[in-house]
Amino acid sequence: MNYAILPLSAAHFSGLHQVFDAACKQESFLFFLQAPPIEQTFRYYQNMVDRDYVYFIALCDETVVGWCDILPQGDADHVGVLSVALLPQAQGLGLGRGLMQAALAKAWQQGFVRIELTVRVDNHQAQALYQQLGFVNEGGPQQDLCIRGQYFTTQTMVLLAHSSP
């Protein structure tokens, strides 16, 4: 199998939409339960490309299997919010780490000073990876995520530019 991590381009929109929808339907770790309509999603992806936002995809034999983005948080252009997801069959291969390293490198280059993410406290595998990359726990609200009537607690993890490994 051949793996690659590349910046998002229009050639990847369809595959990325499928991966996003599949990740949402796992109902485990994303705040969405399904992807928005494909036309809306394609406009969103095109906006990411046009603005040169931090957005990378992982490919396995030319098929999109995951993504990582770091998007500005509101008007605070020095703060980025990281999102990352991989299909189950692509996990454990180092692609998540590779996606995040590529995204972080571009984010620092673009002038971000603080990168934050939200993770469920019961997602120990993801937390371990984030910690290996230098993220630290800032805490968070209790039972702030509700999926199909079940409540989960999340925490915010942060990486500062001057503390990046």
Side-chain angles (χ1 to χ4, degrees):
M1 294 189 160
N2 296 314
Y3 299 100
I5 294 172
L6 302 170
L8 178 63
S9 73
H12 307 122
F13 290 178
S14 181
L16 181 56
H17 183 266
Q18 291 173 3
V19 170
F20 181 61
D21 192 51
C24 291
K25 289 178 178 171
Q26 289 179 19
E27 297 185 4
S28 297
F29 303 109
L30 298 180
F31 288 87
F32 296 91
L33 298 180
Q34 69 180 22
I38 198 164
E39 301 82 16
Q40 178 183 343
T41 306
F42 279 25
R43 283 192 303 273
Y44 173 80
Y45 294 153
Q46 189 60 55
N47 185 51
M48 299 297 104
V49 171
D50 292 346
R51 292 176 178 234
D52 193 31
Y53 281 154
V54 177
Y55 214 119
F56 288 85
I57 54 99
L59 296 176
C60 175
D61 293 332
E62 303 300 318
T63 300
V64 178
V65 294
W67 80 89
C68 181
D69 60 44
I70 299 175
L71 304 178
Q73 179 179 310
D75 293 331
D77 59 1
H78 70 288
V79 178
V81 178
L82 185 145
S83 298
V84 61
L86 287 169
L87 292 177
Q89 65 267 27
Q91 294 174 5
L93 303 172
L95 292 172
R97 177 185 305 278
L99 280 166
M100 291 177 62
Q101 288 171 327
L104 288 167
K106 184 172 180 177
W108 302 142
Q109 182 182 33
Q110 288 187 346
F112 285 95
V113 174
R114 173 187 168 98
I115 307 297
E116 56 188 53
L117 57 87
T118 301
V119 59
R120 279 180 30 183
V121 297
D122 60 330
N123 189 349
H124 303 293
Q125 183 178 0
Q127 288 177 51
L129 173 59
Y130 303 147
Q131 289 170 348
Q132 290 170 7
L133 291 171
F135 283 83
V136 295
N137 182 4
E138 279 196 335
Q142 299 291 306
Q143 297 185 348
D144 59 322
L145 175 63
C146 182
I147 299 176
R148 307 246 186 248
Q150 185 175 2
Y151 292 91
F152 300 92
T153 297
T154 65
Q155 65 186 14
T156 299
M157 295 185 79
V158 175
L159 180 63
L160 302 177
H162 67 276
S163 66
S164 179

